Amino acid sequence: MRSDNIKKGAQRAAHRSLLRACGLTDEDMTKPFIGIANSFTDIVPGHIHLNELSETIKIGISQSGGVPFEFNTMAICDGIAMNHDGMRYSLASREIIADTVESMAEAHQFDGLVLLPSCDKVVPGMLMAAARLDIPTIVVTGGAMQPGKFKGEYVDLIDVYEASGAVTAGTMSKKELYELEKCACPGAGSCAGLFTANTMACLIEALGMSLPGCGTALATSGKKKSIARSSGVRIVEMVKENLKPSDIMTQDAFNNMVATDLALGGSTNTTLHLPAITNELSDDVNVTLDLFDTMSTKIPHIASLSPSGPHMIIDLDNAGGIQSVLKTLEPLINTEVMTCTGSTLKENIKDIEVKNRNIIYSLDKPYRKEGGIAVLKGNLAPNGGIIKQGAVSSDMMVHRGPAKVYNSEEEVVYGINNFEIEEGDVVVIRYEGPKGGPGMREMLNPTSAIMGMGLTNVALITDGRFSGGTRGPCIGHVSPEAMNNGTISIVEDGDIIKIDIPNRLIEIELDEDEINKRFANIKHPKRKLKGWLARYQKMASSADKGGVLKW
């Protein structure tokens, strides 16, 4: 066992003395040491219940003959960090989380890990660490929030964001907004729709790194607690079997993960996180934008969840959850892959039945024929831009209009609130990429404001990114970004931009001479930076490479 490095032999007497100070016994020194990476914090709803789940995991570990050791990582709430400078730290925090888990596991020579993350960057950050460490690891994602109820209908955080735009447009009163604000997020868990946090939780289960049912089990449910305890039991067995992430996180498993993402119409942020995870694995495992795009024409969209549709995570769970989605996709995916259960995916889903075909559609009658995410390329995004096509209305699948250009999120929010945006416009938000932001902020506030104001014929393009809660014709991750002299940096007000989602095209209607002329006169804005963001800006890769750090 790895932990023998800190507990066996005369040369480790001092180490054992310190362990005894933590309450360990002679018997404990013979058992596997299991680290629990807990991202608890009491300012993030998705994390406020994690200490309770951690205690349940500890029971399972002890029951199975292991010794649990809990440690913490950081966690940022994207919703609270949204629309101010704090959002610059969100994506960057993924790297800190990965480094924290790696540091704790290596310094203390844990034999195995239980990862207990919730919310957007914590889940992929912990998986990046698991890939680096390659010691037996299982993931217990924190679970989804119960949806709120407003005027008899399900609501979630995105309804509040869009309602703010409705108040600006005069179609909702401030009193109604206040009532909605109070009920939209009723308690612990990741926001109730298929936004980034819940998308990642679902995909971790599809990858095989969580026990069946974990991805959609609600945060405060008995089901989630049962899975947490079973995961504690299972990790000790995985240590004894030496079942490692590299045995599970294969190329075929990632292909299944991408297929599940496309079938669900999940968050576009997965096109950042999956490449970042595979970046930590061998060269034989790789997720690229081209993989998403190739698979999107083969994998149908079979579930319509908020923000793209009417259903919530609770509905997906009641319909059979991710195991039922995988069962539906069985003819299109590789089910011979190993999972953390110690069995193959094929064995896991052998007896699975879909409980509600109004939630999880069949392959014969899908919600849409293509997957939920598309990659667009053209002279405006030579390396690609990402759109959640499953959240775009049919009349906006092709759009051509004049550009309205803004150099930051603050500028565009001011413009929207002052009614600068008109139907038909293509709003361009630049210098918000990994380096330009820095930190690649999410543009949920602008998209929600536009939706809330009832502007249905407006497209948005950015080298930043969009929240998993974004819907509509919103193209993010435009690469190369403006700070790296991408074409988006030379767009001017009034330039005509064409978006053709079916043909995967995004173009600015300028001839090559005019493009070259503008590049010759380009000037980038400068932002005074210090601390972690300054380091991140120097080392961050482009969005099409996952926004990972390179040195």
Side-chain angles (χ1 to χ4, degrees):
M1 290 188 291
R2 272 168 44 106
S3 60
D4 287 351
N5 291 326
I6 63 169
K7 66 187 184 186
K8 286 292 179 72
Q11 297 302 316
R12 297 295 182 262
H15 302 66
R16 290 193 298 275
S17 182
L18 292 168
L19 291 168
R20 292 181 193 280
C22 298
L24 270 66
T25 66
D26 287 345
E27 184 182 4
D28 290 333
M29 300 297 179
T30 68
K31 298 177 180 179
F33 284 7
I34 308 297
I36 302 173
N38 183 0
S39 57
F40 166 80
T41 173
D42 54 15
I43 194 173
V44 185
H47 300 246
I48 57 177
H49 64 301
L50 294 187
N51 281 349
E52 185 177 355
L53 289 180
S54 180
E55 292 303 313
T56 306
I57 292 167
K58 289 176 185 177
I59 292 171
I61 292 170
S62 299
Q63 172 188 336
S64 196
V67 182
F69 295 92
E70 182 180 358
F71 63 93
N72 289 97
T73 68
M74 64 177 293
I76 288 175
C77 178
D78 280 16
I80 296 173
M82 199 74 66
N83 195 33
H84 57 84
D85 279 348
M87 178 50 73
R88 302 189 195 283
Y89 289 87
S90 176
L91 181 60
S93 74
R94 185 186 66 185
E95 314 303 315
I96 298 173
I97 291 159
D99 292 348
T100 298
V101 175
E102 176 193 3
S103 299
M104 290 295 292
E106 291 287 28
H108 303 103
Q109 292 292 283
F110 294 131
D111 298 302
L113 284 173
V114 180
L115 306 180
L116 183 57
S118 189
C119 296
D120 301 37
K121 311 311 162 302
V122 190
V123 178
M126 287 195 182
L127 258 290
M128 289 165 66
R132 287 179 199 171
L133 293 161
D134 202 29
I135 61 175
T137 301
I138 197 167
V139 185
V140 181
T141 47
M145 185 185 293
Q146 285 275 0
K149 276 287 186 77
F150 182 67
K151 296 183 177 179
E153 302 289 335
Y154 276 160
V155 290
D156 55 37
L157 179 68
I158 305 308
D159 292 286
V160 186
Y161 270 103
E162 293 188 2
S164 296
V167 170
T168 301
T171 57
M172 176 182 267
S173 69
K174 290 183 178 180
K175 182 179 179 181
E176 288 176 306
L177 176 62
Y178 177 64
E179 294 301 322
L180 175 60
E181 168 194 328
K182 290 193 296 181
C183 67
C185 298
S190 303
C191 299
L194 189 67
F195 315 141
T196 304
N198 289 326
T199 298
M200 287 303 303
C202 291
L203 298 194
I204 298 307
E205 182 181 336
L207 181 64
M209 288 295 290
S210 289
L211 291 181
C214 187
T216 56
L218 295 193
T220 55
S221 66
K223 179 180 178 181
K224 177 64 75 175
K225 291 178 182 177
S226 176
I227 290 171
R229 182 163 179 165
S230 296
S231 297
V233 171
R234 180 62 193 141
I235 187 57
V236 179
E237 296 169 349
M238 290 173 70
V239 169
K240 294 174 182 177
E241 297 163 8
N242 197 29
L243 181 58
K244 304 185 298 294
S246 59
D247 300 317
I248 299 169
M249 296 163 65
T250 62
Q251 184 64 56
D252 286 332
F254 274 98
N255 290 351
N256 292 349
M257 199 181 190
V258 172
T260 304
D261 189 17
L262 295 168
L264 293 174
S267 166
T268 54
N269 281 317
T270 56
T271 63
L272 288 170
H273 299 324
L274 271 60
I277 297 167
T278 59
N279 183 64
E280 305 290 346
L281 294 164
S282 72
D283 293 338
D284 295 331
V285 184
N286 195 20
V287 172
T288 64
L289 296 191
D290 288 340
L291 178 62
F292 274 91
D293 198 42
T294 299
M295 292 186 67
S296 72
T297 61
K298 302 174 182 178
I299 304 296
H301 187 187
I302 60 171
S304 180
L305 305 176
S306 173
S308 308
H311 305 301
M312 300 288 184
I313 294 296
I314 188 174
D315 300 313
L316 180 61
D317 190 57
N318 289 335
I322 298 307
Q323 298 300 297
S324 290
V325 172
L326 293 167
K327 183 68 173 181
T328 302
L329 294 175
E330 188 171 8
L332 303 176
I333 61 177
N334 186 330
T335 60
E336 297 296 337
V337 294
M338 179 56 63
T339 72
C340 67
T341 64
S343 301
T344 64
L345 175 58
K346 185 174 184 177
E347 292 170 309
N348 290 348
I349 64 175
K350 179 178 59 177
D351 299 320
I352 294 293
E353 294 181 0
V354 178
K355 299 176 183 178
N356 189 339
R357 282 294 182 194
N358 292 319
I359 306 295
I360 302 171
Y361 291 59
S362 67
L363 295 181
D364 293 336
K365 295 181 180 179
Y367 179 67
R368 288 191 179 183
K369 292 182 179 180
E370 290 193 349
I373 292 175
V375 180
L376 310 186
K377 292 186 178 181
N379 66 358
L380 189 52
N383 295 346
I386 306 297
I387 188 166
K388 188 192 289 189
Q389 64 174 346
V392 180
S393 61
S394 58
D395 59 342
M396 285 297 290
M397 295 296 282
V398 176
H399 182 75
R400 180 178 180 273
K404 287 279 181 70
V405 183
Y406 300 91
N407 284 339
S408 70
E409 181 187 9
E410 286 80 7
E411 286 185 19
V412 73
V413 169
Y414 178 86
I416 293 168
N417 289 333
N418 283 276
F419 304 98
E420 294 177 6
I421 311 302
E422 300 175 357
E423 293 282 18
D425 285 346
V426 178
V427 178
V428 177
I429 315 168
R430 61 192 180 193
Y431 295 106
E432 289 288 3
K435 287 184 178 293
M440 206 178 181
R441 291 191 292 180
E442 289 182 342
M443 303 291 114
L444 178 59
N445 204 51
T447 60
S448 298
I450 285 174
M451 287 293 175
M453 293 174 74
L455 295 170
T456 59
N457 192 32
V458 172
L460 290 93
I461 298 173
T462 182
D463 55 4
R465 58 198 174 93
F466 291 113
S467 164
T470 294
R471 61 188 177 97
C474 302
I475 302 164
H477 306 204
V478 168
S479 300
E481 63 174 291
M483 191 60 82
N484 281 343
N485 292 333
T487 310
I488 192 172
S489 65
I490 62 163
V491 181
E492 296 178 0
D493 284 343
D495 288 343
I496 301 301
I497 294 174
K498 182 179 180 180
I499 301 164
D500 186 339
I501 299 172
N503 289 305
R504 305 298 197 258
L505 185 67
I506 178 170
E507 286 190 335
I508 183 170
E509 295 183 0
L510 295 176
D511 60 40
E512 192 170 336
D513 287 343
E514 178 62 20
I515 290 175
N516 290 335
K517 179 182 176 182
R518 292 189 187 182
F519 271 129
N521 297 300
I522 193 171
K523 291 183 180 179
H524 300 305
K526 294 183 178 180
R527 293 192 173 101
K528 189 175 181 181
L529 297 171
K530 59 182 180 180
W532 163 234
L533 281 182
R535 297 198 302 275
Y536 181 84
Q537 185 181 57
K538 290 179 181 179
M539 301 168 69
S541 69
S542 62
D544 60 301
K545 302 297 183 184
V548 298
L549 301 186
K550 295 290 186 180
W551 54 87

